[in-house]
Amino acid sequence: MATETVLLVDDEKEILQLLSIYFGNEGYRLLTASDGKQALETLDRENVDLVVLDVMMPILDGIQTCIKIRERYNMPVIMLSAKGQDMDKITGLSIGADDYVAKPFNPLEVLARAKSQLRRYNRLGAKKPTGEHEIVADELTVDTASHRVTVEGTEIHLTPREFAILEMLARSPGQVFSTEQIYAKVWNEPFMESANTVMVHVRKIREKIERDSKKPQYIQTVWGVGYKFIPTD
């Protein structure tokens, strides 16, 4: 049975009750909130492993809540929204969400996606042998054991998927990875015309780790092919 803590955030009581039943049956410790303000207050006092976050909420909506979560926390965030258009999904992913499920949804799908995110997050945070867990390039350090990234000694907060992409590229400096390869590896599912999704995540990584995201030092675009991590001397 699961032992992780999941925070469910939605202003619709019926949805909270429905998801609570499915997650509770799998043994997750559950916390709930009806708006973004309550969610942030809960995160301040509780250790949470995953957040399921509705977009349309009173007081503080899901978009603003996700932005504030990403300022301080790295746990996976799955967003729920009645909006199912591609641009809405890209917006959610670009501000730090790790996955996006459109309403109406099958609760089993939300549960499956949560399990996938938690497996990935726990795997990334797993302890690795000393000497093998740090990737250093110029002023950038990627610590795969503690799931920490620093630039010039300052810690940079990446989402689990942003970290997974950076780690994938940094482990093979100079090797070009296509968007299909990145998506299949990081999302752990077949590539489904999701080049924009990968592009958005790479852009967010650059904005966080590069001195000038328009002239990237670490992640280079290979036009028509994909991306590569630039090795340093």
Side-chain angles (χ1 to χ4, degrees), residues 80-127:
L80 305 177
S81 176
K83 299 178 179 180
Q85 299 299 316
D86 287 342
M87 283 308 300
D88 296 315
K89 293 180 181 180
I90 290 172
T91 298
L93 295 171
S94 68
I95 53 96
D98 299 282
D99 207 346
Y100 182 105
V101 180
K103 294 180 179 180
F105 55 77
N106 184 330
L108 288 174
E109 179 186 0
V110 179
L111 181 62
R113 289 174 180 261
K115 288 180 178 180
S116 176
Q117 289 295 329
L118 286 166
R119 282 195 300 269
R120 184 177 296 110
Y121 183 58
N122 291 333
R123 185 172 68 247
L124 289 172
K127 187 174 181 180

Coordinates of all heavy atoms in Angstrom, one line a residue, residues 80-127:
L80 N -6.0 20.0 -12.9 CA -7.3 19.6 -13.4 C -8.0 20.8 -13.9 O -8.0 21.9 -13.3 CB -8.2 19.0 -12.3 CG -7.6 17.8 -11.5 CD1 -8.6 17.5 -10.4 CD2 -7.4 16.6 -12.4
S81 N -8.6 20.7 -15.1 CA -9.3 21.9 -15.7 C -10.4 21.4 -16.7 O -10.2 20.4 -17.4 CB -8.3 22.8 -16.4 OG -9.0 23.9 -17.0
A82 N -11.5 22.2 -16.7 CA -12.5 21.9 -17.7 C -12.1 22.3 -19.1 O -12.7 21.9 -20.1 CB -13.8 22.7 -17.3
K83 N -11.0 23.0 -19.2 CA -10.4 23.4 -20.4 C -9.5 22.4 -21.0 O -8.6 21.9 -20.3 CB -9.7 24.8 -20.3 CG -10.5 25.9 -19.8 CD -9.7 27.2 -19.7 CE -10.5 28.3 -19.2 NZ -9.7 29.6 -19.0
G84 N -9.8 21.9 -22.2 CA -9.0 20.8 -22.8 C -8.2 21.2 -24.0 O -7.7 20.4 -24.7
Q85 N -8.1 22.5 -24.3 CA -7.4 22.9 -25.5 C -5.9 22.8 -25.3 O -5.4 22.9 -24.2 CB -7.8 24.4 -25.9 CG -9.3 24.5 -26.2 CD -9.7 23.7 -27.4 OE1 -9.0 23.6 -28.4 NE2 -10.9 23.0 -27.3
D86 N -5.2 22.7 -26.4 CA -3.7 22.5 -26.3 C -3.1 23.7 -25.7 O -2.2 23.5 -24.8 CB -3.1 22.3 -27.7 CG -3.4 20.9 -28.3 OD1 -3.8 20.1 -27.5 OD2 -3.3 20.8 -29.5
M87 N -3.5 24.9 -26.0 CA -2.9 26.1 -25.4 C -3.1 26.1 -23.9 O -2.2 26.6 -23.1 CB -3.4 27.4 -26.0 CG -2.9 27.7 -27.4 SD -1.0 27.7 -27.4 CE -0.7 29.0 -26.2
D88 N -4.3 25.6 -23.4 CA -4.5 25.6 -22.0 C -3.6 24.6 -21.3 O -3.0 24.8 -20.2 CB -5.9 25.2 -21.7 CG -6.9 26.2 -22.2 OD1 -6.7 27.4 -22.0 OD2 -7.9 25.9 -22.8
K89 N -3.3 23.5 -22.0 CA -2.4 22.5 -21.4 C -1.0 23.1 -21.4 O -0.3 22.9 -20.4 CB -2.4 21.2 -22.3 CG -3.7 20.5 -22.3 CD -3.6 19.2 -23.1 CE -5.0 18.5 -23.1 NZ -4.9 17.3 -23.9
I90 N -0.6 23.8 -22.5 CA 0.7 24.3 -22.5 C 0.9 25.4 -21.4 O 2.0 25.5 -20.8 CB 1.0 24.9 -23.9 CG1 1.1 23.8 -24.9 CG2 2.3 25.8 -23.9 CD1 1.2 24.3 -26.4
T91 N -0.1 26.2 -21.2 CA -0.1 27.2 -20.1 C 0.2 26.5 -18.8 O 1.0 26.9 -18.0 CB -1.4 28.0 -20.1 OG1 -1.5 28.7 -21.3 CG2 -1.3 29.0 -18.9
G92 N -0.6 25.5 -18.5 CA -0.4 24.8 -17.3 C 1.0 24.2 -17.1 O 1.6 24.3 -16.1
L93 N 1.5 23.6 -18.2 CA 2.8 23.0 -18.1 C 3.9 24.0 -18.0 O 4.9 23.8 -17.4 CB 3.0 22.1 -19.3 CG 2.1 20.8 -19.4 CD1 2.3 20.2 -20.8 CD2 2.4 19.8 -18.3
S94 N 3.7 25.1 -18.7 CA 4.7 26.1 -18.7 C 4.9 26.8 -17.4 O 6.0 27.4 -17.1 CB 4.4 27.2 -19.8 OG 3.3 28.0 -19.4
I95 N 3.9 26.8 -16.5 CA 4.1 27.5 -15.2 C 4.5 26.5 -14.2 O 4.6 26.9 -13.0 CB 2.8 28.3 -14.8 CG1 1.6 27.4 -14.9 CG2 2.6 29.5 -15.7 CD1 1.2 26.8 -13.6
G96 N 4.8 25.3 -14.5 CA 5.4 24.4 -13.6 C 4.6 23.1 -13.3 O 5.1 22.2 -12.5
A97 N 3.5 22.9 -13.9 CA 2.7 21.7 -13.7 C 3.4 20.5 -14.4 O 4.1 20.7 -15.4 CB 1.3 21.8 -14.2
D98 N 3.3 19.3 -13.8 CA 4.0 18.1 -14.4 C 3.0 17.3 -15.3 O 3.5 16.6 -16.1 CB 4.5 17.2 -13.3 CG 5.5 17.9 -12.5 OD1 6.7 18.1 -12.9 OD2 5.2 18.4 -11.4
D99 N 1.7 17.5 -15.1 CA 0.8 16.8 -15.9 C -0.5 17.6 -15.9 O -0.7 18.5 -15.0 CB 0.5 15.4 -15.4 CG 0.1 14.4 -16.5 OD1 -0.3 14.9 -17.6 OD2 0.1 13.2 -16.2
Y100 N -1.5 17.2 -16.8 CA -2.7 18.0 -17.0 C -3.8 17.0 -17.4 O -3.6 16.2 -18.3 CB -2.4 19.0 -18.1 CG -3.6 20.0 -18.4 CD1 -3.6 21.3 -18.0 CD2 -4.7 19.5 -19.1 CE1 -4.6 22.1 -18.3 CE2 -5.8 20.3 -19.4 CZ -5.7 21.7 -19.0 OH -6.8 22.5 -19.3
V101 N -4.9 17.1 -16.6 CA -6.0 16.2 -16.9 C -7.3 17.1 -17.1 O -7.6 17.9 -16.3 CB -6.3 15.2 -15.8 CG1 -7.5 14.3 -16.1 CG2 -5.0 14.3 -15.6
A102 N -7.9 16.9 -18.2 CA -9.1 17.7 -18.5 C -10.4 17.1 -17.9 O -10.5 15.9 -17.8 CB -9.3 17.8 -20.0
K103 N -11.2 18.0 -17.4 CA -12.5 17.5 -16.9 C -13.5 17.5 -18.0 O -13.4 18.2 -18.9 CB -13.1 18.5 -15.8 CG -12.2 18.6 -14.6 CD -12.9 19.7 -13.6 CE -12.1 19.8 -12.3 NZ -12.8 20.8 -11.4
P104 N -14.5 16.5 -18.0 CA -14.7 15.5 -16.9 C -13.6 14.4 -17.1 O -13.2 14.1 -18.2 CB -16.1 15.0 -17.2 CG -16.3 15.2 -18.7 CD -15.6 16.5 -19.0
F105 N -13.2 13.8 -16.0 CA -12.1 12.8 -16.1 C -12.5 11.5 -15.4 O -13.5 11.5 -14.7 CB -10.9 13.4 -15.3 CG -11.1 13.8 -13.9 CD1 -11.3 12.8 -12.9 CD2 -11.3 15.1 -13.5 CE1 -11.5 13.2 -11.6 CE2 -11.5 15.5 -12.2 CZ -11.6 14.5 -11.3
N106 N -11.8 10.5 -15.8 CA -12.0 9.2 -15.1 C -11.0 9.2 -13.9 O -9.8 9.4 -14.0 CB -11.6 8.1 -16.1 CG -11.8 6.7 -15.5 OD1 -11.7 6.5 -14.3 ND2 -12.0 5.7 -16.4
P107 N -11.5 9.0 -12.7 CA -10.7 9.1 -11.5 C -9.6 8.1 -11.5 O -8.5 8.3 -11.0 CB -11.6 8.8 -10.3 CG -12.9 8.3 -11.0 CD -13.0 8.8 -12.3
L108 N -9.8 7.0 -12.2 CA -8.7 6.0 -12.4 C -7.6 6.5 -13.2 O -6.4 6.1 -12.9 CB -9.3 4.7 -13.0 CG -10.2 3.8 -12.1 CD1 -10.8 2.7 -13.0 CD2 -9.4 3.3 -10.9
E109 N -7.9 7.4 -14.2 CA -6.8 8.0 -14.9 C -6.0 8.9 -14.1 O -4.7 9.0 -14.1 CB -7.4 8.7 -16.2 CG -6.3 9.4 -17.0 CD -6.8 10.3 -18.1 OE1 -8.0 10.3 -18.3 OE2 -6.0 10.9 -18.8
V110 N -6.7 9.7 -13.3 CA -6.0 10.7 -12.4 C -5.1 9.9 -11.4 O -3.9 10.2 -11.2 CB -7.0 11.5 -11.6 CG1 -6.2 12.5 -10.6 CG2 -7.8 12.3 -12.5
L111 N -5.6 8.8 -10.9 CA -4.8 8.0 -10.0 C -3.6 7.3 -10.7 O -2.5 7.3 -10.1 CB -5.7 6.8 -9.4 CG -5.1 5.9 -8.4 CD1 -4.6 6.6 -7.2 CD2 -6.1 4.8 -8.0
A112 N -3.8 6.9 -11.9 CA -2.7 6.3 -12.6 C -1.6 7.3 -12.9 O -0.4 7.0 -12.8 CB -3.2 5.7 -13.9
R113 N -2.0 8.5 -13.3 CA -1.0 9.6 -13.6 C -0.3 10.0 -12.3 O 0.9 10.3 -12.3 CB -1.7 10.8 -14.2 CG -2.2 10.5 -15.6 CD -3.0 11.7 -16.2 NE -3.4 11.5 -17.5 CZ -2.8 12.0 -18.6 NH1 -1.8 12.7 -18.5 NH2 -3.3 11.7 -19.8
A114 N -1.0 10.0 -11.2 CA -0.4 10.3 -9.9 C 0.6 9.3 -9.5 O 1.8 9.6 -9.1 CB -1.5 10.4 -8.8
K115 N 0.3 8.0 -9.7 CA 1.3 6.9 -9.4 C 2.5 7.1 -10.3 O 3.7 6.9 -9.8 CB 0.6 5.6 -9.6 CG -0.4 5.2 -8.6 CD -1.0 3.8 -8.9 CE -2.0 3.4 -7.8 NZ -2.6 2.0 -8.1
S116 N 2.3 7.4 -11.5 CA 3.4 7.5 -12.4 C 4.3 8.7 -12.0 O 5.6 8.6 -12.0 CB 2.9 7.8 -13.9 OG 4.0 8.0 -14.8
Q117 N 3.7 9.8 -11.6 CA 4.5 11.0 -11.2 C 5.3 10.7 -9.9 O 6.4 11.1 -9.8 CB 3.6 12.2 -11.0 CG 3.0 12.8 -12.2 CD 4.1 13.4 -13.1 OE1 5.1 13.9 -12.6 NE2 3.9 13.4 -14.4
L118 N 4.7 10.0 -9.0 CA 5.3 9.6 -7.7 C 6.5 8.7 -7.9 O 7.5 8.8 -7.3 CB 4.3 9.1 -6.7 CG 3.3 10.1 -6.1 CD1 2.2 9.4 -5.4 CD2 4.1 11.0 -5.2
R119 N 6.3 7.7 -8.8 CA 7.4 6.8 -9.1 C 8.6 7.5 -9.7 O 9.7 7.3 -9.3 CB 6.9 5.7 -10.1 CG 6.1 4.6 -9.5 CD 6.0 3.4 -10.5 NE 5.4 3.8 -11.8 CZ 4.1 3.7 -12.0 NH1 3.3 3.3 -11.1 NH2 3.6 4.0 -13.2
R120 N 8.3 8.4 -10.6 CA 9.4 9.2 -11.2 C 10.1 10.1 -10.2 O 11.3 10.2 -10.1 CB 8.8 10.0 -12.4 CG 9.9 10.8 -13.2 CD 9.3 11.5 -14.4 NE 8.7 10.5 -15.3 CZ 7.4 10.4 -15.5 NH1 6.5 11.1 -14.9 NH2 7.0 9.5 -16.4
Y121 N 9.3 10.8 -9.4 CA 9.8 11.7 -8.4 C 10.6 11.0 -7.4 O 11.8 11.4 -7.0 CB 8.6 12.4 -7.7 CG 9.0 13.5 -6.7 CD1 9.8 14.5 -7.1 CD2 8.6 13.4 -5.4 CE1 10.2 15.5 -6.2 CE2 9.0 14.3 -4.5 CZ 9.7 15.4 -4.9 OH 10.1 16.4 -3.9
N122 N 10.2 9.8 -6.9 CA 10.9 9.0 -5.9 C 12.2 8.5 -6.5 O 13.2 8.4 -5.9 CB 10.0 7.9 -5.4 CG 8.9 8.5 -4.5 OD1 9.0 9.5 -3.9 ND2 7.8 7.7 -4.4
R123 N 12.1 8.1 -7.8 CA 13.3 7.5 -8.4 C 14.4 8.6 -8.6 O 15.5 8.4 -8.4 CB 12.9 7.0 -9.8 CG 14.1 6.3 -10.5 CD 13.7 5.5 -11.8 NE 13.3 6.5 -12.8 CZ 12.0 6.6 -13.3 NH1 11.0 5.9 -12.7 NH2 11.7 7.5 -14.2
L124 N 14.0 9.8 -9.0 CA 14.9 10.9 -9.1 C 15.6 11.3 -7.8 O 16.7 11.7 -7.8 CB 14.2 12.1 -9.7 CG 13.8 12.0 -11.2 CD1 13.0 13.2 -11.6 CD2 15.0 11.9 -12.1
G125 N 14.8 11.1 -6.7 CA 15.3 11.5 -5.4 C 16.1 10.3 -4.7 O 16.6 10.5 -3.6
A126 N 16.1 9.2 -5.3 CA 16.8 8.0 -4.7 C 18.2 8.2 -4.5 O 18.9 8.8 -5.3 CB 16.5 6.8 -5.5
K127 N 18.8 7.7 -3.4 CA 20.2 7.9 -3.1 C 21.1 7.1 -4.1 O 20.8 5.9 -4.3 CB 20.5 7.5 -1.7 CG 22.0 7.9 -1.3 CD 22.2 7.6 0.2 CE 23.6 7.9 0.6 NZ 23.9 7.7 2.0

